[in-house]
Amino acid sequence: MKLVLFDCDGTLVDSADIIHASMVATFREAGFVEPTPEATKSIIGLTLDLAIATLLNRPLDAECGHLAARYKEHFLASRHLPSFQEPLYEGIAELIETLAKRDDILIGMVTGKSQRGVRRVLETYGFERHFVTIRTADDCPSKPHPAMVLECCGETGIDPASTFVVGDAIYDMQMATSAGAKAIGVSWGYGARDALIATGASAVLGRPGDLLALID
């Protein structure tokens, strides 16, 4: 048996625009200099309080926690806007359906999203029955800590050596290698190919379907 653990933002769905808009609203409200789109993309994947601390270039503190709470409120409010989108990347739906049909593969998710955010994505695209193990920012320390991967492995009974972590960020690659899993980068997300390879990616996918050959 093999376990395939997907990151969410930047790997399954393209959520950078809505994440950036919510971050800008949070920083503007607090009187901080607004992050650039590039800066926001660089922290996607971290848990929210750590992401904000990184953008502010300061240690994690109580104010970062307060800002994280305000970010969540801005993000939830944005869900009611006509412009709200977290679209799947092209080819992801087909890849998930193909993997789900195989008897030798289990599918999971390791993400800096909240449990509520993950449920929304899974329900939107009808993926609930396919993801058998999920760890989020609500459950584990932030990436690149290996806990998300190790807990998914423990829950499914699959060794990290038989586990593939698929993500677009350097934090995903670092988390995978720390856990003893195989790190697979993707080229369609927010991380640079060279940075993914430098932080442990054994391959960087050009399109979702390329994963099938790697896991075989």
Side-chain angles (χ1 to χ4, degrees):
M1 292 292 295
K2 299 170 187 175
L3 176 61
V4 180
L5 299 174
F6 289 97
D7 168 55
C8 190
D9 298 310
T11 301
L12 299 179
V13 298
D14 185 1
S15 49
D17 288 346
I18 189 63
I19 291 173
H20 180 63
S22 299
M23 198 66 77
V24 165
T26 301
F27 275 53
R28 182 184 298 154
E29 177 184 71
F32 292 115
V33 175
E34 300 169 10
T36 64
E38 292 74 20
T40 299
K41 287 181 180 179
S42 74
I43 53 79
I44 292 176
L46 296 175
T47 51
L48 198 48
D49 54 354
L50 181 56
I52 289 171
T54 302
L55 287 174
L56 292 173
N57 193 29
R58 60 194 273 185
L60 191 60
D61 57 21
E63 186 176 23
C64 294
H66 171 72
L67 292 171
R70 288 297 296 146
Y71 170 95
K72 290 179 182 179
E73 293 174 4
H74 285 298
F75 190 92
L76 289 174
S78 71
R79 290 178 57 198
H80 303 291
L81 299 175
S83 58
F84 182 86
Q85 291 188 74
E86 289 184 294
L88 288 178
Y89 286 102
E90 183 178 357
I92 288 295
E94 293 81 359
L95 173 62
I96 298 300
E97 293 296 337
T98 298
L99 293 175
K101 293 175 182 177
R102 291 182 51 162
D103 294 332
D104 62 330
I105 291 174
L106 295 178
I107 307 172
M109 189 183 298
V110 285
T111 174
K113 272 190 179 305
S114 65
Q115 282 282 355
R116 177 164 54 182
V118 168
R119 286 197 301 271
R120 182 176 61 248
V121 170
L122 296 181
E123 290 169 0
T124 297
Y125 297 108
F127 287 162
E128 305 100 307
R129 67 190 186 280
H130 296 327
F131 285 76
V132 301
T133 182
I134 297 170
R135 289 298 184 275
T136 73
D138 297 332
D139 310 308
C140 294
S142 178
K143 301 173 184 178
H145 193 285
M148 290 186 186
V149 174
L150 294 175
E151 289 192 13
C152 287
C153 289
E155 183 176 7
T156 58
I158 296 179
D159 192 86
S162 299
T163 298
F164 298 80
V165 176
V166 183
D168 71 301
I170 60 172
Y171 315 115
D172 299 310
M173 305 301 99
Q174 292 166 335
M175 175 179 63
T177 54
S178 293
K182 299 177 179 67
I184 307 296
V186 306
S187 63
W188 55 83
Y190 313 136
R193 177 186 180 87
D194 289 348
L196 295 173
I197 292 174
T199 50
S202 60
V204 177
L205 305 178
R207 55 185 181 178
D210 293 343
L211 179 63
L212 298 172
L214 283 178
I215 61 180
D216 286 334

PDB file of all heavy atoms in Angstrom, residues 56-80:
ATOM      1  N   LEU A  56       5.551  39.818   8.897  1.00  0.00           N
ATOM      2  CA  LEU A  56       5.937  40.964   9.713  1.00  0.00           C
ATOM      3  C   LEU A  56       7.406  40.917  10.125  1.00  0.00           C
ATOM      4  O   LEU A  56       7.899  41.868  10.746  1.00  0.00           O
ATOM      5  CB  LEU A  56       5.058  41.036  10.967  1.00  0.00           C
ATOM      6  CG  LEU A  56       3.590  41.374  10.736  1.00  0.00           C
ATOM      7  CD1 LEU A  56       2.804  41.230  12.033  1.00  0.00           C
ATOM      8  CD2 LEU A  56       3.446  42.791  10.176  1.00  0.00           C
ATOM      9  N   ASN A  57       8.070  39.794   9.811  1.00  0.00           N
ATOM     10  CA  ASN A  57       9.486  39.617  10.170  1.00  0.00           C
ATOM     11  C   ASN A  57       9.699  39.804  11.661  1.00  0.00           C
ATOM     12  O   ASN A  57      10.569  40.568  12.112  1.00  0.00           O
ATOM     13  CB  ASN A  57      10.374  40.586   9.377  1.00  0.00           C
ATOM     14  CG  ASN A  57      11.849  40.236   9.476  1.00  0.00           C
ATOM     15  OD1 ASN A  57      12.203  39.068   9.644  1.00  0.00           O
ATOM     16  ND2 ASN A  57      12.706  41.230   9.362  1.00  0.00           N
ATOM     17  N   ARG A  58       8.913  39.087  12.460  1.00  0.00           N
ATOM     18  CA  ARG A  58       9.000  39.188  13.915  1.00  0.00           C
ATOM     19  C   ARG A  58       8.698  37.830  14.526  1.00  0.00           C
ATOM     20  O   ARG A  58       8.128  36.952  13.871  1.00  0.00           O
ATOM     21  CB  ARG A  58       8.012  40.230  14.440  1.00  0.00           C
ATOM     22  CG  ARG A  58       6.578  39.906  14.097  1.00  0.00           C
ATOM     23  CD  ARG A  58       5.659  41.084  14.313  1.00  0.00           C
ATOM     24  NE  ARG A  58       5.157  41.170  15.670  1.00  0.00           N
ATOM     25  CZ  ARG A  58       4.254  42.078  16.051  1.00  0.00           C
ATOM     26  NH1 ARG A  58       3.812  42.983  15.188  1.00  0.00           N
ATOM     27  NH2 ARG A  58       3.821  42.104  17.283  1.00  0.00           N
ATOM     28  N   PRO A  59       9.062  37.621  15.771  1.00  0.00           N
ATOM     29  CA  PRO A  59       8.743  36.351  16.427  1.00  0.00           C
ATOM     30  C   PRO A  59       7.236  36.184  16.590  1.00  0.00           C
ATOM     31  O   PRO A  59       6.480  37.157  16.634  1.00  0.00           O
ATOM     32  CB  PRO A  59       9.435  36.473  17.792  1.00  0.00           C
ATOM     33  CG  PRO A  59      10.439  37.563  17.633  1.00  0.00           C
ATOM     34  CD  PRO A  59       9.875  38.506  16.626  1.00  0.00           C
ATOM     35  N   LEU A  60       6.811  34.950  16.682  1.00  0.00           N
ATOM     36  CA  LEU A  60       5.406  34.645  16.919  1.00  0.00           C
ATOM     37  C   LEU A  60       5.011  35.184  18.295  1.00  0.00           C
ATOM     38  O   LEU A  60       5.665  34.908  19.294  1.00  0.00           O
ATOM     39  CB  LEU A  60       5.211  33.129  16.859  1.00  0.00           C
ATOM     40  CG  LEU A  60       3.799  32.580  16.827  1.00  0.00           C
ATOM     41  CD1 LEU A  60       3.045  33.081  15.611  1.00  0.00           C
ATOM     42  CD2 LEU A  60       3.854  31.051  16.812  1.00  0.00           C
ATOM     43  N   ASP A  61       3.944  35.982  18.350  1.00  0.00           N
ATOM     44  CA  ASP A  61       3.508  36.555  19.620  1.00  0.00           C
ATOM     45  C   ASP A  61       1.984  36.660  19.644  1.00  0.00           C
ATOM     46  O   ASP A  61       1.300  36.235  18.711  1.00  0.00           O
ATOM     47  CB  ASP A  61       4.160  37.918  19.868  1.00  0.00           C
ATOM     48  CG  ASP A  61       3.878  38.930  18.745  1.00  0.00           C
ATOM     49  OD1 ASP A  61       2.889  38.743  17.999  1.00  0.00           O
ATOM     50  OD2 ASP A  61       4.641  39.902  18.617  1.00  0.00           O
ATOM     51  N   ALA A  62       1.474  37.236  20.735  1.00  0.00           N
ATOM     52  CA  ALA A  62       0.020  37.305  20.920  1.00  0.00           C
ATOM     53  C   ALA A  62      -0.645  38.141  19.841  1.00  0.00           C
ATOM     54  O   ALA A  62      -1.764  37.831  19.398  1.00  0.00           O
ATOM     55  CB  ALA A  62      -0.300  37.874  22.301  1.00  0.00           C
ATOM     56  N   GLU A  63       0.013  39.195  19.381  1.00  0.00           N
ATOM     57  CA  GLU A  63      -0.589  40.029  18.344  1.00  0.00           C
ATOM     58  C   GLU A  63      -0.740  39.256  17.044  1.00  0.00           C
ATOM     59  O   GLU A  63      -1.731  39.435  16.319  1.00  0.00           O
ATOM     60  CB  GLU A  63       0.233  41.292  18.104  1.00  0.00           C
ATOM     61  CG  GLU A  63      -0.452  42.248  17.131  1.00  0.00           C
ATOM     62  CD  GLU A  63       0.280  43.563  16.941  1.00  0.00           C
ATOM     63  OE1 GLU A  63       1.505  43.608  17.195  1.00  0.00           O
ATOM     64  OE2 GLU A  63      -0.369  44.541  16.539  1.00  0.00           O
ATOM     65  N   CYS A  64       0.211  38.384  16.740  1.00  0.00           N
ATOM     66  CA  CYS A  64       0.079  37.559  15.534  1.00  0.00           C
ATOM     67  C   CYS A  64      -1.156  36.662  15.637  1.00  0.00           C
ATOM     68  O   CYS A  64      -1.851  36.442  14.649  1.00  0.00           O
ATOM     69  CB  CYS A  64       1.336  36.715  15.334  1.00  0.00           C
ATOM     70  SG  CYS A  64       2.820  37.675  14.957  1.00  0.00           S
ATOM     71  N   GLY A  65      -1.416  36.151  16.842  1.00  0.00           N
ATOM     72  CA  GLY A  65      -2.615  35.358  17.046  1.00  0.00           C
ATOM     73  C   GLY A  65      -3.874  36.172  16.846  1.00  0.00           C
ATOM     74  O   GLY A  65      -4.853  35.694  16.259  1.00  0.00           O
ATOM     75  N   HIS A  66      -3.866  37.425  17.323  1.00  0.00           N
ATOM     76  CA  HIS A  66      -5.022  38.308  17.126  1.00  0.00           C
ATOM     77  C   HIS A  66      -5.228  38.602  15.644  1.00  0.00           C
ATOM     78  O   HIS A  66      -6.362  38.572  15.140  1.00  0.00           O
ATOM     79  CB  HIS A  66      -4.815  39.607  17.893  1.00  0.00           C
ATOM     80  CG  HIS A  66      -5.841  40.662  17.583  1.00  0.00           C
ATOM     81  ND1 HIS A  66      -7.155  40.578  18.017  1.00  0.00           N
ATOM     82  CD2 HIS A  66      -5.757  41.811  16.856  1.00  0.00           C
ATOM     83  CE1 HIS A  66      -7.829  41.628  17.582  1.00  0.00           C
ATOM     84  NE2 HIS A  66      -7.000  42.386  16.880  1.00  0.00           N
ATOM     85  N   LEU A  67      -4.148  38.883  14.938  1.00  0.00           N
ATOM     86  CA  LEU A  67      -4.244  39.151  13.504  1.00  0.00           C
ATOM     87  C   LEU A  67      -4.738  37.922  12.745  1.00  0.00           C
ATOM     88  O   LEU A  67      -5.502  38.045  11.774  1.00  0.00           O
ATOM     89  CB  LEU A  67      -2.889  39.597  12.959  1.00  0.00           C
ATOM     90  CG  LEU A  67      -2.391  40.964  13.454  1.00  0.00           C
ATOM     91  CD1 LEU A  67      -0.948  41.184  13.010  1.00  0.00           C
ATOM     92  CD2 LEU A  67      -3.283  42.080  12.931  1.00  0.00           C
ATOM     93  N   ALA A  68      -4.317  36.738  13.179  1.00  0.00           N
ATOM     94  CA  ALA A  68      -4.794  35.505  12.548  1.00  0.00           C
ATOM     95  C   ALA A  68      -6.310  35.370  12.701  1.00  0.00           C
ATOM     96  O   ALA A  68      -7.008  34.958  11.769  1.00  0.00           O
ATOM     97  CB  ALA A  68      -4.088  34.300  13.151  1.00  0.00           C
ATOM     98  N   ALA A  69      -6.812  35.719  13.878  1.00  0.00           N
ATOM     99  CA  ALA A  69      -8.255  35.652  14.107  1.00  0.00           C
ATOM    100  C   ALA A  69      -8.994  36.645  13.204  1.00  0.00           C
ATOM    101  O   ALA A  69     -10.063  36.325  12.659  1.00  0.00           O
ATOM    102  CB  ALA A  69      -8.568  35.936  15.567  1.00  0.00           C
ATOM    103  N   ARG A  70      -8.431  37.851  13.048  1.00  0.00           N
ATOM    104  CA  ARG A  70      -9.065  38.845  12.166  1.00  0.00           C
ATOM    105  C   ARG A  70      -8.985  38.394  10.711  1.00  0.00           C
ATOM    106  O   ARG A  70      -9.946  38.596   9.955  1.00  0.00           O
ATOM    107  CB  ARG A  70      -8.376  40.196  12.326  1.00  0.00           C
ATOM    108  CG  ARG A  70      -8.671  40.884  13.628  1.00  0.00           C
ATOM    109  CD  ARG A  70     -10.168  41.205  13.749  1.00  0.00           C
ATOM    110  NE  ARG A  70     -10.585  42.151  12.722  1.00  0.00           N
ATOM    111  CZ  ARG A  70     -11.786  42.126  12.147  1.00  0.00           C
ATOM    112  NH1 ARG A  70     -12.668  41.180  12.463  1.00  0.00           N
ATOM    113  NH2 ARG A  70     -12.117  43.019  11.233  1.00  0.00           N
ATOM    114  N   TYR A  71      -7.879  37.775  10.319  1.00  0.00           N
ATOM    115  CA  TYR A  71      -7.773  37.246   8.957  1.00  0.00           C
ATOM    116  C   TYR A  71      -8.901  36.257   8.687  1.00  0.00           C
ATOM    117  O   TYR A  71      -9.538  36.295   7.629  1.00  0.00           O
ATOM    118  CB  TYR A  71      -6.416  36.565   8.761  1.00  0.00           C
ATOM    119  CG  TYR A  71      -6.313  35.784   7.463  1.00  0.00           C
ATOM    120  CD1 TYR A  71      -5.755  36.347   6.324  1.00  0.00           C
ATOM    121  CD2 TYR A  71      -6.800  34.473   7.369  1.00  0.00           C
ATOM    122  CE1 TYR A  71      -5.684  35.645   5.134  1.00  0.00           C
ATOM    123  CE2 TYR A  71      -6.732  33.766   6.185  1.00  0.00           C
ATOM    124  CZ  TYR A  71      -6.170  34.354   5.075  1.00  0.00           C
ATOM    125  OH  TYR A  71      -6.119  33.643   3.899  1.00  0.00           O
ATOM    126  N   LYS A  72      -9.147  35.359   9.626  1.00  0.00           N
ATOM    127  CA  LYS A  72     -10.201  34.365   9.448  1.00  0.00           C
ATOM    128  C   LYS A  72     -11.555  35.033   9.242  1.00  0.00           C
ATOM    129  O   LYS A  72     -12.366  34.581   8.416  1.00  0.00           O
ATOM    130  CB  LYS A  72     -10.251  33.428  10.653  1.00  0.00           C
ATOM    131  CG  LYS A  72      -9.055  32.492  10.755  1.00  0.00           C
ATOM    132  CD  LYS A  72      -9.149  31.608  11.994  1.00  0.00           C
ATOM    133  CE  LYS A  72      -7.946  30.701  12.129  1.00  0.00           C
ATOM    134  NZ  LYS A  72      -8.022  29.860  13.359  1.00  0.00           N
ATOM    135  N   GLU A  73     -11.795  36.107   9.961  1.00  0.00           N
ATOM    136  CA  GLU A  73     -13.066  36.817   9.804  1.00  0.00           C
ATOM    137  C   GLU A  73     -13.166  37.450   8.421  1.00  0.00           C
ATOM    138  O   GLU A  73     -14.221  37.404   7.783  1.00  0.00           O
ATOM    139  CB  GLU A  73     -13.196  37.870  10.909  1.00  0.00           C
ATOM    140  CG  GLU A  73     -13.342  37.258  12.301  1.00  0.00           C
ATOM    141  CD  GLU A  73     -13.318  38.287  13.399  1.00  0.00           C
ATOM    142  OE1 GLU A  73     -13.264  39.511  13.079  1.00  0.00           O
ATOM    143  OE2 GLU A  73     -13.345  37.910  14.584  1.00  0.00           O
ATOM    144  N   HIS A  74     -12.076  38.051   7.961  1.00  0.00           N
ATOM    145  CA  HIS A  74     -12.074  38.631   6.609  1.00  0.00           C
ATOM    146  C   HIS A  74     -12.269  37.541   5.554  1.00  0.00           C
ATOM    147  O   HIS A  74     -13.013  37.729   4.582  1.00  0.00           O
ATOM    148  CB  HIS A  74     -10.760  39.373   6.358  1.00  0.00           C
ATOM    149  CG  HIS A  74     -10.650  40.681   7.055  1.00  0.00           C
ATOM    150  ND1 HIS A  74     -11.498  41.738   6.819  1.00  0.00           N
ATOM    151  CD2 HIS A  74      -9.780  41.109   8.023  1.00  0.00           C
ATOM    152  CE1 HIS A  74     -11.168  42.763   7.585  1.00  0.00           C
ATOM    153  NE2 HIS A  74     -10.130  42.403   8.324  1.00  0.00           N
ATOM    154  N   PHE A  75     -11.586  36.402   5.739  1.00  0.00           N
ATOM    155  CA  PHE A  75     -11.687  35.316   4.764  1.00  0.00           C
ATOM    156  C   PHE A  75     -13.112  34.773   4.716  1.00  0.00           C
ATOM    157  O   PHE A  75     -13.668  34.549   3.629  1.00  0.00           O
ATOM    158  CB  PHE A  75     -10.703  34.196   5.117  1.00  0.00           C
ATOM    159  CG  PHE A  75     -10.566  33.146   4.046  1.00  0.00           C
ATOM    160  CD1 PHE A  75      -9.593  33.264   3.076  1.00  0.00           C
ATOM    161  CD2 PHE A  75     -11.411  32.047   4.007  1.00  0.00           C
ATOM    162  CE1 PHE A  75      -9.451  32.301   2.078  1.00  0.00           C
ATOM    163  CE2 PHE A  75     -11.286  31.082   3.017  1.00  0.00           C
ATOM    164  CZ  PHE A  75     -10.299  31.207   2.053  1.00  0.00           C
ATOM    165  N   LEU A  76     -13.712  34.556   5.877  1.00  0.00           N
ATOM    166  CA  LEU A  76     -15.076  34.028   5.917  1.00  0.00           C
ATOM    167  C   LEU A  76     -16.054  35.013   5.290  1.00  0.00           C
ATOM    168  O   LEU A  76     -16.990  34.610   4.579  1.00  0.00           O
ATOM    169  CB  LEU A  76     -15.484  33.717   7.354  1.00  0.00           C
ATOM    170  CG  LEU A  76     -14.789  32.506   7.982  1.00  0.00           C
ATOM    171  CD1 LEU A  76     -15.170  32.386   9.452  1.00  0.00           C
ATOM    172  CD2 LEU A  76     -15.160  31.222   7.242  1.00  0.00           C
ATOM    173  N   ALA A  77     -15.850  36.297   5.534  1.00  0.00           N
ATOM    174  CA  ALA A  77     -16.727  37.306   4.923  1.00  0.00           C
ATOM    175  C   ALA A  77     -16.609  37.290   3.407  1.00  0.00           C
ATOM    176  O   ALA A  77     -17.600  37.488   2.687  1.00  0.00           O
ATOM    177  CB  ALA A  77     -16.378  38.688   5.471  1.00  0.00           C
ATOM    178  N   SER A  78     -15.408  37.021   2.905  1.00  0.00           N
ATOM    179  CA  SER A  78     -15.188  37.020   1.455  1.00  0.00           C
ATOM    180  C   SER A  78     -15.911  35.873   0.761  1.00  0.00           C
ATOM    181  O   SER A  78     -16.175  35.937  -0.447  1.00  0.00           O
ATOM    182  CB  SER A  78     -13.691  36.947   1.156  1.00  0.00           C
ATOM    183  OG  SER A  78     -13.165  35.666   1.468  1.00  0.00           O
ATOM    184  N   ARG A  79     -16.224  34.823   1.509  1.00  0.00           N
ATOM    185  CA  ARG A  79     -16.926  33.684   0.906  1.00  0.00           C
ATOM    186  C   ARG A  79     -18.284  34.078   0.348  1.00  0.00           C
ATOM    187  O   ARG A  79     -18.815  33.391  -0.527  1.00  0.00           O
ATOM    188  CB  ARG A  79     -17.114  32.575   1.946  1.00  0.00           C
ATOM    189  CG  ARG A  79     -15.847  31.870   2.362  1.00  0.00           C
ATOM    190  CD  ARG A  79     -16.141  30.829   3.419  1.00  0.00           C
ATOM    191  NE  ARG A  79     -17.124  29.855   2.963  1.00  0.00           N
ATOM    192  CZ  ARG A  79     -17.815  29.055   3.762  1.00  0.00           C
ATOM    193  NH1 ARG A  79     -17.634  29.121   5.063  1.00  0.00           N
ATOM    194  NH2 ARG A  79     -18.667  28.199   3.262  1.00  0.00           N
ATOM    195  N   HIS A  80     -18.860  35.160   0.847  1.00  0.00           N
ATOM    196  CA  HIS A  80     -20.179  35.584   0.404  1.00  0.00           C
ATOM    197  C   HIS A  80     -20.120  36.541  -0.786  1.00  0.00           C
ATOM    198  O   HIS A  80     -21.159  36.967  -1.286  1.00  0.00           O
ATOM    199  CB  HIS A  80     -20.922  36.248   1.564  1.00  0.00           C
ATOM    200  CG  HIS A  80     -21.054  35.359   2.769  1.00  0.00           C
ATOM    201  ND1 HIS A  80     -21.848  34.233   2.780  1.00  0.00           N
ATOM    202  CD2 HIS A  80     -20.465  35.416   3.992  1.00  0.00           C
ATOM    203  CE1 HIS A  80     -21.757  33.633   3.962  1.00  0.00           C
ATOM    204  NE2 HIS A  80     -20.925  34.332   4.710  1.00  0.00           N
TER     205      HIS A  80
END
